[in-house]
Amino acid sequence: MANHPHHPHDPHDPQDPCPRAIALYERALREGGLDRQHASSLPCLLESGLLEPARQDPTAQDPAVQDPAAQDPAAQDPAVQDPARQDPARLTPVPPALVLHRLLRAAGDRVLRERRHSARLAEAFAPLTRIGGRSGTEADRSPAIRVVSGTGRINEAITGAMAGAVSELLCVQPNLHYSDSRGAAAQAVAMDRDQALLDRGGRIRTLYQHTQRQMPLVLARYEQLRGDAEARSLDEVTDRLIVVDRDVAFLPAGADGTVALEVRHPALVEFLAATFDRLWWQATPLYPQAVHRPSLNGVTPRQRAIAGLLVEGHTDAVIADRLGMNIRTARVHIAKLAATLGSESRAQLGYLIGRSGILDREA
């Protein structure tokens, strides 16, 4: 009999297990497994990799393989047999650390795909905005997506959207350019409009990279803001993103930050906000209550992030770019990781990372 016969299972992303699936997974962990019929109404248990079919006992399939326990009458008693191993109708739970690693890796892959997709869109549409004879007025008529050129006009557009905001501001602030003069200038412009939203009872949630957790510009921001402002951090984030009241979003349309897209199409804005929400719940709290991620067996959280990219075969330059650090800092962390694991070469380091199990542990 299914646990929830009167509650149909709504379709959802397999990489985002539903609460009912999590509850049954917890039960399976406590009991060592579940009957397949109990999970029949929740296909995401298998699709998400929370449960897997029980492995058959090879001695039960091959009479030539003699199991000493087979000669023991007590071992033939169903009451003392392992049901997860003997019953083909059983499902066994996958270890939580392995499930978490798979889901986080999938989430990271989705973030990378979205970053590349955003870059392709910007590259494809930027030349179209300059097709001969088109006036800026004609481009501004689009109610769904508007190209805004120039730092001044971008700030004016964001300030205009913020002036009517009453609920929420979502921001992604990657490390790229944040520590230079452009980042300082942008923060100075943003502080007044952000505080005005907080004064109206709104809230602000901002995602940074882990490399920004001790950055003076970031710390100073939260020393000055008064109200419901929160910040969290991740190893990797998307490119810069601003979502105002889930009605309008701003994202870059060029590498130099002088062209932006103002997006008002409801489906696109909801997609961007949902992407932010998923990243938010995976992130480590920074403000108002900071959480410090522990080291495991001498390997720091940042080194674990680097280890994950190393085993994927990325170069030092790519690792530095994705984690928001300069290449010299990335190489220092790689050297420390190699010393901790006792590696003498790059090839050996990849092998030792896999053997150490550091990527199977919860960060």
Side-chain angles (χ1 to χ4, degrees), residues 26-331:
E26 179 181 357
R27 174 183 163 187
L29 287 170
R30 297 184 186 279
E31 299 179 2
L34 284 176
D35 288 339
R36 187 179 291 270
Q37 62 178 350
H38 290 160
S40 61
S41 64
L42 294 173
C44 62
L45 280 166
L46 289 171
E47 294 170 355
S48 301
L50 302 178
L51 301 180
E52 62 183 7
R55 295 181 176 86
Q56 291 296 299
D57 183 357
T59 63
Q61 303 297 328
D62 186 357
V65 179
Q66 295 299 319
D67 183 357
Q71 307 304 321
D72 183 0
Q76 304 303 316
D77 184 352
V80 298
Q81 292 183 13
D82 180 359
R85 189 178 68 173
Q86 300 293 337
D87 188 351
R90 296 278 290 182
L91 296 173
T92 57
V94 177
L98 181 57
V99 173
L100 179 63
H101 175 63
R102 288 174 179 172
L103 295 179
L104 292 180
R105 176 64 59 83
D109 291 342
R110 288 198 302 273
V111 170
L112 179 59
R113 287 196 299 271
E114 291 305 325
R115 291 180 66 179
R116 290 172 175 169
H117 181 59
S118 298
R120 288 195 298 269
L121 286 176
E123 183 179 357
F125 279 87
L128 301 180
T129 65
R130 298 188 292 271
I131 290 179
R134 290 284 183 90
S135 69
T137 303
E138 289 178 339
D140 290 346
R141 289 175 185 166
S142 171
I145 299 178
R146 182 169 72 103
V147 177
V148 185
S149 300
T151 302
R153 292 190 62 195
I154 293 172
N155 280 324
E156 289 175 4
I158 297 173
T159 300
M162 289 285 293
V166 296
S167 174
E168 160 182 80
L169 175 67
L170 309 177
C171 300
V172 178
Q173 295 285 7
N175 194 30
L176 183 65
H177 300 308
Y178 198 79
S179 59
D180 60 17
S181 57
R182 194 177 92 187
Q187 177 150 304
V189 173
M191 287 298 292
D192 287 342
R193 65 192 182 208
D194 290 352
Q195 186 58 58
L197 173 62
L198 294 174
D199 291 343
R200 292 193 295 271
R203 69 170 180 171
I204 297 176
R205 293 190 293 168
T206 306
L207 280 170
Y208 299 96
Q209 289 185 273
H210 288 322
T211 49
Q212 296 166 272
R213 290 179 70 89
Q214 301 301 322
M215 191 175 290
L217 191 64
V218 173
L219 299 177
R221 169 178 169 82
Y222 294 98
E223 289 175 355
Q224 298 175 53
L225 287 177
R226 302 176 306 280
D228 187 3
E230 294 182 70
R232 297 185 180 184
S233 64
L234 286 165
D235 284 311
E236 296 184 70
V237 296
T238 64
D239 207 337
R240 192 181 185 205
L241 171 67
I242 295 175
V243 181
V244 182
D245 274 359
R246 299 181 184 252
D247 289 330
V248 56
F250 297 88
L251 60 157
D256 62 358
T258 61
V259 181
L261 298 180
E262 179 184 293
V263 181
R264 292 184 177 273
H265 191 290
L268 292 176
V269 174
E270 179 56 33
F271 173 82
L272 294 170
T275 299
F276 179 94
D277 290 337
R278 292 194 177 189
L279 294 174
W280 180 259
W281 291 116
Q282 297 171 26
T284 302
L286 170 61
Y287 182 88
Q289 185 65 45
V291 173
H292 300 286
R293 302 178 300 157
S295 297
L296 292 173
N297 298 326
V299 179
T300 67
R302 188 166 300 170
Q303 289 168 2
R304 288 202 298 276
I306 289 174
L309 296 175
L310 280 172
V311 298
E312 292 176 2
H314 294 296
T315 64
D316 295 354
V318 171
I319 292 171
D321 178 64
R322 286 181 56 170
L323 298 182
M325 61 181 71
N326 62 53
I327 192 169
R328 183 180 304 172
T329 301
R331 287 171 174 164

